[in-house]
Amino acid sequence: MRAVVYPGSFDPLTNGHLDVIERAARLFDRVIVAVAPNSEKHPLFTTEERCKLVVGATRRLRNVEVRAFDGLLVDYVRGCGAQAVIRGLRAVSDFEFEFQMALMNRKLDERVETIFMMPKDTYTFLSSRLVKEIAQLGGDVSTFVPRNVGRALLKRMQPSTPMRRR
Ligand code: ADP
């Protein structure tokens, strides 16, 4: 049984993330999408909301599981019975940070491999940060995110109903 962990903030899941998940699901028996709280990044969605959005978008992929995760990644990977970590590489700009993290994780536990996957070329410009910025400014993000995520973003961005004066 070959299992892999795909960790990230997924705040929110984009079509780029989903493309990586689909590719990993074709290669591994089990893909565990591990949603990190990343509270220092002030996420737009709570960990639970982010998990639900990934669950909703990956329902048709039978070998994909979604879990919230906290703590040291290598410990989590071994605890899941997985052998590897998947990270997405969009451009050279991702490389330096990802390379450093992969080598550090290898120092911490050399049995855990890091595998880099490239998304479909049309998704290489996509990031959760940009998607949030566009949605916040009222732009259309429907081609960048799964449908359930688009709906959640619209809902989150709606201005709250103004209080009525008596
Ligand atoms: P993190 O906060 O750990 O960077 P993200 O949720 O932003 O988490 O991303 C998780 C992983 O998915 C990272 O490896 C990131 O490089 C990758 N990723 C993000 N967006 C894309 C995309 N459009 N295509 C491919 N990989 C992506």
Side-chain angles (χ1 to χ4, degrees):
M1 187 80 150
R2 291 268 164 212
V4 71
V5 173
Y6 180 30
S9 321
F10 305 104
D11 183 43
L13 180 82
T14 68
N15 286 337
H17 294 128
L18 190 56
D19 184 84
V20 169
I21 294 171
E22 285 166 352
R23 284 170 201 280
R26 290 198 286 270
L27 289 177
F28 288 86
D29 301 309
R30 262 176 89 206
V31 177
I32 301 144
V33 181
V35 180
N38 261 346
S39 34
E40 71 283 0
K41 280 196 188 170
H42 305 291
L44 180 64
F45 294 99
T46 64
T47 313
E48 199 190 340
E49 288 168 333
R50 283 179 270 145
C51 285
K52 279 191 181 154
L53 291 174
V54 183
V55 168
T58 57
R59 204 154 288 186
R60 72 205 143 80
L61 301 168
R62 293 275 158 230
N63 56 341
V64 173
E65 299 161 33
V66 184
R67 299 194 197 163
F69 117 93
D70 215 348
L72 204 55
L73 182 62
V74 287
D75 290 344
Y76 185 76
V77 172
R78 302 300 301 175
C80 288
Q83 297 81 23
V85 171
I86 291 269
R87 294 289 288 176
L89 270 190
R90 286 163 289 190
V92 181
S93 51
D94 277 341
F95 181 77
E96 200 165 328
F97 172 72
E98 294 292 346
F99 182 67
Q100 194 182 13
M101 205 159 68
L103 290 185
M104 179 52 85
N105 281 334
R106 180 177 284 170
K107 278 261 176 272
L108 293 173
D109 189 337
E110 63 180 23
R111 293 164 298 178
V112 174
E113 289 294 343
T114 301
I115 297 168
F116 294 109
M117 298 195 94
M118 285 168 291
K120 194 170 164 199
D121 55 351
T122 46
Y123 297 141
T124 51
F125 63 91
L126 255 183
S127 73
S128 299
R129 183 182 59 81
L130 271 182
V131 163
K132 282 184 283 190
E133 272 180 30
I134 295 166
Q136 248 144 12
L137 297 170
D140 178 11
V141 294
S142 57
T143 55
F144 307 142
V145 293
R147 205 175 290 181
N148 65 327
V149 175
R151 279 195 301 267
L153 275 167
L154 261 184
K155 216 166 154 191
R156 188 54 48 100
M157 298 309 167
Q158 264 165 12
S160 49
T161 332
M163 296 246 284
R164 283 236 178 111
R165 279 177 181 237
R166 279 174 183 260

